[in-house]
């Protein structure tokens, strides 16, 4: 009787473990859809800025996802001089691929309450793009800063 109870417990444990995992094929397909081989997923780019006025400096953190040819989404957060999230009246973002004379492509960012974002930013070819952010901190103070980003 003790052997039957032990076998029953082992069967229940194995059944519980197997029902909590995906079949091998489904796990492989999910991993392939999430990050195709050889292509990067989105990464954050940090661009410091300084408009030359007291309190007019900080950094812009830009997330471009998935960061490859085709349609991408962009999210940008402004951090002020104290390192906290700051609000600005305007943030513009453009992408240029100078080697192929493409752009500037305007990301058409919208203020989404605490961050700036856009969906459907189409980058048509792979290469090292120049991402330019124009940050307006007041009605008259603004600066344009740039950084390169590799699109695969």
């Amino acid at each position: 009787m003790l052997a039957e109870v032990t076998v029953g417990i082992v069967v229940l444990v194995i059944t519980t473990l197997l029902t909590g995992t995906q079949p091998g094929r489904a796990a492989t397909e999910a991993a392939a859809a999430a990050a195709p081989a050889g292509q990067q997923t989105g990464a954050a780019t940090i661009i410091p800025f300084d408009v030359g006025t007291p309190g007019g400096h900080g950094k812009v953190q830009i997330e471009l996802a998935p960061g490859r040819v085709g349609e991408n989404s962009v999210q940008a957060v402004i951090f002020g001089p104290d390192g906290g999230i700051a609000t600005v009246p305007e943030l513009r973002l453009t992408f240029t691929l100078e080697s192929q004379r493409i752009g500037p492509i305007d990301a058409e960012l919208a203020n989404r309450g605490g961050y700036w974002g856009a969906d459907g930013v189409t980058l048509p070819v792979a290469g090292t793009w120049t991402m330019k952010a124009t940050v307006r901190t007041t009605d008259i103070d603004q600066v344009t800063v740039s950084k390169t980003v590799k699109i695969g």
Side-chain angles (χ1 to χ4, degrees):
M1 185 163 147
L2 184 58
E4 290 178 3
V5 171
T6 304
V7 170
I9 291 173
V10 170
V11 168
L12 287 175
V13 169
I14 292 173
T15 303
T16 302
L17 290 174
L18 290 176
T19 58
T21 60
Q22 288 185 341
R25 182 182 68 224
T28 303
E29 290 173 357
Q39 292 189 2
Q40 68 186 37
T41 56
T45 302
I46 297 176
I47 305 175
F49 68 89
D50 188 350
V51 295
T53 61
H57 63 280
K59 58 188 172 185
V60 182
Q61 178 177 317
I62 301 168
E63 172 83 27
L64 179 66
R68 59 180 175 238
V69 173
E71 204 167 284
N72 292 272
S73 65
V74 177
Q75 294 181 353
V77 178
I78 309 291
F79 294 97
D82 63 353
I85 293 177
T87 58
V88 294
E90 184 178 5
L91 176 63
R92 288 188 313 267
L93 187 66
T94 61
F95 294 89
T96 305
L97 184 59
E98 295 173 11
S99 65
Q100 303 225 0
R101 296 183 181 181
I102 300 173
I105 297 172
D106 191 350
E108 298 180 12
L109 296 176
N111 188 346
R112 295 188 175 169
Y115 73 98
W116 294 78
D119 296 320
V121 178
T122 302
L123 301 175
V125 296
T128 302
W129 290 72
T130 301
M131 180 170 52
K132 288 186 181 179
T134 300
V135 182
R136 186 164 54 91
T137 57
T138 67
D139 288 340
I140 57 172
D141 296 317
Q142 76 176 29
V143 65
T144 300
V145 290
S146 63
K147 191 141 191 181
T148 58
V149 61
K150 187 166 176 114
I151 302 299

